């Protein structure tokens, strides 16, 4: 990998420049910038702009352990890389770092994000089409109105746990639990493993010393889920993947469940937190919603432009020597899609303050043949959940000064840690029994539907009689907080 020269001074050992300082640029070996550590975790958007000013639309960066990569910052360059699968492979085995010993696959926290897996994200060509077809078919089996009813029930139940108190911390009590409840039911997860499983899935994005253990736990739980669903299929994504004509192996089903869980939960929880933060901190944003100048789905699109839930997407690997954004890319080089940086590229957004909520051309769900297939479900969860929250608590307001809000950032994502709010206390409205999903719609074009259970929702196949579900236990716990 060729690293272009830099005119910026590097930081002295033992010192950490403040965010926005030019010393962030070129702070690693060969003049590349570390995309982890204090600068990246404190002000990632500022770091992207420093990189853009120093290198243009493509910049040399270092991942954890000083693993070399290129970060694509330009909007057009991101679309170019994402839309040329023959030039830029999704198969990480193309990367020269495996052969050079640049990374230890046994210990590196990057492995859960850049390692090869038998899923559609790591495949190209016909193999990608086979695997992705199974994923899109499994996701599309759920009628959106039925999913929205499920989300509505969960949202009311969550709000009921704090609406009488007149205050709540929304990240812990709403924006994280709602996607968790929805996705675990859609996937068909077991009651006992779901909360801990989702916690481990989120840990993968942090690229810390616990990432490998969390990845192993996720795979172990999903392997058990596959075994259970082979024995007792239901109306859920796991069963639909197994029944698809593409003939996925158990290992392929397991890894696609992992993919849906990781992509769906992290991005949707972050998106909801970001939208609610805008609602309670930006009077113009809230005024546009209240005055009808912007619908809630449009508000979600605006936030997807300004604060994408996944800031950097791993990865692409060059199949041969080429040039992107003026940089010489060598065969086997790793490229990262800078989704957040591309969304604010002045080449397509000269004035970032100009509303773009009518436009879905952002990069937040990537682009090209690997664009996120589950984005519509994520939008439904965010739209329905936030709509119900604002309908029931229209006077919701931030409980602390805006400058006291804090984030956790990793190489891949920026996560709001807490969003404390106040509102007028109100009585609860819902009960504790989740509504089962409707049966899947009739299939056409030769596609096979997953077996349906007329009286069973996701995760309930083969069960009869009343039970105290983990949802009930979670809701009771939240009420006691």
């Amino acid at each position: 990998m060729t690293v272009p020269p830099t005119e910026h001074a590097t930081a002295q050992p033992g010192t950490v420049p403040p965010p926005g300082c030019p010393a962030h640029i070129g702070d690693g070996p060969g003049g590349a910038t570390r995309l982890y550590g204090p600068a990246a975790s404190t002000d990632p958007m500022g770091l992207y702009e420093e990189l853009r000013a120093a290198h243009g639309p493509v910049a040399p960066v270092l991942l954890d352990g000083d693993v070399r990569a290129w970060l694509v910052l330009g909007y057009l360059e991101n679309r170019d890389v994402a839309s040329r699968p023959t030039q830029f492979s999704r198969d990480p085995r193309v990367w020269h770092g495996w052969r050079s010993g640049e990374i230890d696959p046994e210990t590196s926290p990057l492995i859960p994000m850049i390692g090869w897996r038998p899923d559609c994200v790591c495949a190209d060509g016909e193999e990608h089409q086979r695997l992705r077809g199974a994923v899109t078919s499994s996701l599309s089996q759920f009628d959106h109105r039925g999913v929205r009813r499920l989300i509505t029930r969960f949202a009311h139940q969550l709000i009921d746990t704090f609406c009488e108190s007149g205050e709540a911390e929304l990240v812990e009590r709403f924006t994280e639990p709602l996607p968790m409840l929805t996705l675990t039911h859609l996937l068909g997860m077991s009651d006992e493993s779901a909360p801990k499983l989702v916690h481990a899935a989120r840990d993968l994005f942090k690229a810390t010393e616990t990432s490998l253990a969390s990845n192993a736990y996720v795979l172990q739980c999903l392997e058990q889920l596959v075994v259970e669903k082979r024995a007792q299929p239901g109306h859920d994504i796991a069963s639909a993947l197994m029944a698809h004509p593409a003939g996925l192996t158990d290992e392929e089903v397991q890894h696609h469940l992992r993919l849906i869980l990781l992509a769906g939960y992290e991005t949707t929880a972050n998106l909801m937190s970001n939208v609610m933060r805008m609602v309670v901190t930006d009077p113009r944003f809230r005024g546009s919603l209240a005055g009808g100048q912007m619908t809630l789905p449009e508000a979600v699109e605006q936030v997807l432009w300004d604060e994408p839930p996944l800031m950097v997407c791993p990865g692409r690997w060059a199949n041969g020597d080429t040039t992107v954004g003026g940089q010489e890319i060598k065969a086997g080089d790793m490229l990262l899609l800078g989704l957040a940086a591309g969304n604010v590229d002045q080449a397509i957004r000269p004035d970032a303050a100009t509303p773009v909520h009518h436009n879905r051309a952002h990069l937040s769900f990537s682009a090209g043949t690997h664009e996120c297939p589950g984005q519509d479900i994520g939008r439904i969860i965010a739209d329905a959940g936030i709509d119900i929250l604002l309908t029931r608590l229209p006077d919701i307001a931030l409980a602390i000064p805006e400058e006291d809000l804090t984030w956790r950032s990793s190489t891949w994502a920026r996560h709001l840690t807490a969003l404390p709010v106040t509102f007028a206390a109100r009585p609860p409205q819902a009960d504790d029994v989740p509504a089962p999903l409707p049966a899947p719609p009739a299939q056409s074009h030769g596609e096979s539907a997953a077996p349906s259970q007329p009286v069973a929702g996701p995760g309930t196949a083969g069960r009869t009689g009343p039970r105290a579900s983990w949802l009930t236990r979670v809701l009771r716990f939240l009420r006691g907080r």
Side-chain angles (χ1 to χ4, degrees):
M1 173 176 169
T2 303
V3 177
T6 177
E7 299 176 355
H8 296 266
T10 58
Q12 295 299 314
T15 64
V16 177
C21 174
H24 284 146
I25 302 300
D27 63 358
T33 298
R34 289 186 170 96
L35 208 59
Y36 65 97
S41 62
T42 304
D43 183 20
M45 292 300 291
L47 185 60
Y48 302 153
E49 293 311 311
E50 292 170 5
L51 285 166
R52 200 194 310 268
H55 301 290
V58 179
V61 294
L62 299 169
L63 300 178
D64 189 273
D66 285 346
V67 172
R68 297 170 296 162
W70 296 99
L71 178 62
V72 185
L73 301 160
Y75 178 89
L76 296 177
E77 288 76 14
N78 267 285
R79 284 204 168 271
D80 179 41
V81 171
S83 302
R84 284 202 284 160
T86 56
Q87 178 64 61
F88 300 104
S89 174
R90 281 304 318 244
D91 189 336
R93 292 172 293 187
V94 173
W95 184 42
H96 50 56
W98 308 115
R99 299 184 297 275
S100 66
E102 189 168 348
I103 193 171
D104 183 353
E106 300 298 323
T107 61
S108 174
L110 296 174
I111 295 301
M113 299 301 292
I114 69 170
W116 181 84
R117 302 172 302 276
D119 62 27
C120 60
V121 167
C122 295
D124 297 316
E126 293 183 0
E127 181 66 0
H128 170 253
Q129 294 176 14
R130 178 182 76 89
L131 297 173
R132 185 181 171 94
V135 172
T136 55
S137 177
S138 300
L139 293 174
S140 64
Q141 70 169 317
F142 300 112
D143 175 74
H144 285 183
R145 289 173 295 179
V147 174
R148 190 176 291 271
R149 287 194 293 270
L150 184 72
I151 297 164
T152 298
R153 177 64 62 89
F154 287 149
H156 281 300
Q157 290 169 343
L158 289 170
I159 295 168
D160 282 351
T161 66
F162 57 77
C163 63
E164 292 180 288
S165 67
E167 61 181 12
E169 196 287 281
L170 287 184
V171 172
E172 181 184 21
R173 305 294 294 274
F174 191 75
T175 63
E176 288 189 349
L178 184 60
M180 177 184 77
L181 293 170
T182 305
L183 283 173
T184 52
H185 272 259
L186 293 180
L187 289 175
M189 292 179 183
S190 65
D191 292 354
E192 293 76 16
S193 65
K196 187 176 179 181
L197 178 61
V198 173
H199 174 78
R202 164 150 266 179
D203 186 61
L204 296 183
F205 283 90
K206 299 177 183 177
T208 65
E209 63 277 0
T210 60
S211 293
L212 287 174
S214 292
N215 188 57
Y217 178 78
V218 168
L219 290 174
Q220 178 185 357
C221 290
L222 294 176
E223 182 180 15
Q224 180 60 35
L225 175 61
V226 171
V227 171
E228 293 174 359
K229 291 301 176 181
R230 283 291 185 196
Q232 291 184 315
H235 175 38
D236 50 61
I237 293 174
S239 301
L241 285 171
M242 295 176 190
H244 194 270
L248 272 63
T249 67
D250 283 1
E251 185 181 22
E252 289 172 340
V253 172
Q254 173 191 6
H255 279 271
H256 282 94
L257 292 173
R258 173 191 180 275
L259 171 64
I260 295 169
L261 175 65
L262 288 178
Y265 177 71
E266 173 73 13
T267 57
T268 305
N270 282 354
L271 175 60
M272 292 184 66
S273 296
N274 291 340
V275 172
M276 285 308 305
R277 183 186 69 82
M278 292 295 291
V279 167
V280 298
T281 61
D282 189 336
R284 294 172 300 176
F285 188 89
R286 188 166 189 163
S288 296
L289 273 176
Q293 293 92 352
M294 179 169 57
T295 65
L296 187 54
E298 289 171 346
V300 169
E301 296 305 320
Q302 182 68 50
V303 172
L304 285 169
W305 273 102
D306 296 335
E307 294 188 74
L310 191 64
M311 303 186 78
V312 174
C313 179
R316 299 293 194 276
W317 288 268
N319 278 322
D321 294 354
T322 188
T323 301
V324 180
Q327 303 285 18
E328 295 182 4
I329 309 298
K330 299 298 183 182
D333 278 2
M334 183 194 308
L335 296 93
L336 312 172
L337 299 183
L339 309 181
N343 277 354
V344 296
D345 186 354
Q346 289 191 351
I348 56 105
R349 288 184 72 186
D351 182 3
T354 301
V356 285
H357 52 261
H358 294 290
N359 192 333
R360 282 195 174 192
H362 52 73
L363 299 169
S364 296
F365 296 110
S366 189
T369 58
H370 284 274
E371 185 173 358
C372 176
Q375 58 184 279
D376 287 342
I377 288 182
R379 283 187 172 99
I380 292 171
I381 296 173
D383 291 348
I386 294 173
D387 181 52
I388 292 164
L389 181 65
L390 295 180
T391 299
R392 289 192 56 180
L393 307 175
D395 57 340
I396 196 166
L398 188 64
I400 61 175
E402 182 180 352
E403 56 269 23
D404 290 346
L405 295 175
T406 59
W407 284 261
R408 289 194 307 269
S409 297
S410 68
T411 298
W412 319 110
R414 185 171 183 252
H415 173 59
L416 185 65
T417 56
L419 189 62
V421 296
T422 59
F423 44 85
R426 292 170 173 84
Q429 294 183 8
D431 57 43
D432 288 340
V433 183
L437 286 170
Q443 300 292 308
S444 59
H445 307 296
E447 292 184 350
S448 174
S452 62
Q453 303 289 333
V455 296
T460 64
R463 297 174 182 159
T464 59
R467 64 187 177 89
S469 70
W470 70 267
L471 168 61
T472 302
R473 298 194 296 272
V474 167
L475 293 170
R476 288 172 180 167
F477 170 76
L478 290 174
R479 284 198 180 96
R481 292 183 61 85

